[in-house]
Amino acid sequence: MTVPNRLRLGVNIDHVATIRNARGGEHPDPARAAIIALEAGADGITAHLREDRRHISDTDIDALAAMLRERGRPLNLEMAVTSEMLEIALKHRPHAVCLVPERREERTTEGGLDVLGGHNWITPFVTRLREAGSRVSLFIAADPAQIEASAHVGAQVVELHTGAYCDAAREGRTEAAEAALKALWAGARQAAALGLEVHAGHGLDYATVAPVAAITEVVELNIGHFLVGEAIFTGLEAAVTRMRRLMDEARGGEA
Ligand code: PXP
């Protein structure tokens, strides 16, 4: 398909590890899922190493980093703003690091990172990660003040939180969904005007992806939970292929 302004797709494989961890052992293996996702049209792989290691483990990150390096594909490491995570990121120097909130007090009302309230502690993390060669992204609500603060702390990328839009759309709250989508459009424009690269993600599925993929300034979507869930029914390759096609069509792609 020829696609003008093609969007990148990052597939988040965290919940493959959730299923593995339900039993312990090694199956299903997130690195194997990552290879299938790449072969089905993902541009990169996203993984969130949580402080409590509830899904992805340190060993998973080692394996994913090695596999992606070998294939010349990007790893987007999602992590909390803590010194433990900073050490891990500095060891791996992934292509991208997305800083996310894990504790309630680190979040904005819409669930993104509170960059405005936390700029004093976030700024040194952004600086160290950038110096190590990673592209630094901040997972934030599409809120003008948070976007402005993200540019101030030196991030190169913002990932706009699509959870409020997806929840409203799924629950049939049309007005709220439209308002959330409008905020995403405005946020993407504002961020791009400030020189930030714009990504989006959280809660996206087949039904909600197209309106977000149509936002001109967005260059990358990160999608996980739905794809891993759908893989149970159709297989991961088919799920990623279909998501890829929906994104391409929303971008005006033609067969
Ligand atoms: N982007 C970020 C920053 C995230 O933290 C997550 C969830 O880990 C996602 C995207 C993917 O969200 P979902 O799993 O709901 O598709």
Side-chain angles (χ1 to χ4, degrees):
M1 197 185 285
T2 323
V3 186
N5 221 345
R6 185 182 177 275
L7 266 174
R8 294 196 300 265
L9 169 62
V11 170
N12 182 319
I13 42 69
D14 293 348
H15 297 297
V16 176
T18 303
I19 297 170
R20 177 199 57 200
N21 295 356
R23 273 285 167 97
E26 295 184 356
H27 183 77
D29 174 14
R32 182 175 165 200
I35 292 169
I36 293 170
L38 292 171
E39 287 173 355
D43 298 280
I45 296 299
T46 296
H48 184 177
L49 183 66
R50 296 188 69 100
E51 288 181 87
D52 63 7
R53 311 300 199 267
R54 73 173 71 149
H55 38 59
I56 291 293
S57 67
D58 298 68
T59 315
D60 288 328
I61 294 295
D62 291 344
L64 286 165
M67 182 279 285
L68 290 163
R69 201 174 311 113
E70 202 176 291
R71 283 175 163 72
R73 298 297 195 96
L75 170 65
N76 174 27
L77 176 65
E78 293 178 352
M79 59 178 230
V81 191
T82 67
S83 38
E84 184 207 5
M85 290 299 152
L86 179 64
E87 288 313 311
I88 293 169
L90 294 178
K91 183 178 94 178
H92 286 291
R93 299 167 173 251
H95 168 79
V97 172
C98 182
L99 298 177
V100 301
E102 284 191 21
R103 302 202 183 103
R104 192 153 293 281
E105 64 271 19
E106 298 166 344
R107 285 181 202 166
T108 63
T109 44
E110 279 116 325
L113 191 64
D114 184 8
V115 185
L116 187 63
H119 62 93
N120 285 341
W121 55 282
I122 292 170
T123 306
F125 279 81
V126 174
T127 308
R128 299 264 324 263
L129 290 163
R130 282 189 64 157
E131 282 168 1
S134 293
R135 281 181 75 69
V136 182
S137 171
L138 304 177
F139 185 43
I140 58 167
D143 172 282
Q146 297 295 344
I147 294 165
E148 183 95 39
S150 298
H152 271 289
V153 301
Q156 295 123 308
V157 183
V158 283
E159 178 158 333
L160 300 180
H161 197 310
T162 52
Y165 160 68
C166 293
D167 287 347
R170 249 191 305 281
E171 291 160 14
R173 293 183 282 115
T174 317
E175 271 178 38
E178 276 169 15
L181 195 57
K182 220 167 137 194
L184 288 166
W185 270 96
R189 283 218 178 107
Q190 180 195 353
L194 288 166
L196 293 160
E197 185 173 303
V198 188
H199 301 178
H202 198 89
L204 292 167
D205 61 15
Y206 296 149
T208 49
V209 73
V212 175
I215 300 173
T216 326
E217 290 80 6
V218 172
V219 301
E220 177 177 310
L221 299 183
N222 284 297
I223 309 180
H225 183 268
F226 175 79
L227 288 173
V228 173
E230 197 60 13
I232 293 169
F233 304 110
T234 66
L236 187 58
E237 184 186 350
V240 173
T241 302
R242 182 160 168 203
M243 189 62 83
R244 172 83 262 166
R245 183 159 23 88
L246 291 169
M247 287 166 59
D248 290 346
E249 284 169 1
R251 232 43 191 197
E254 280 174 28

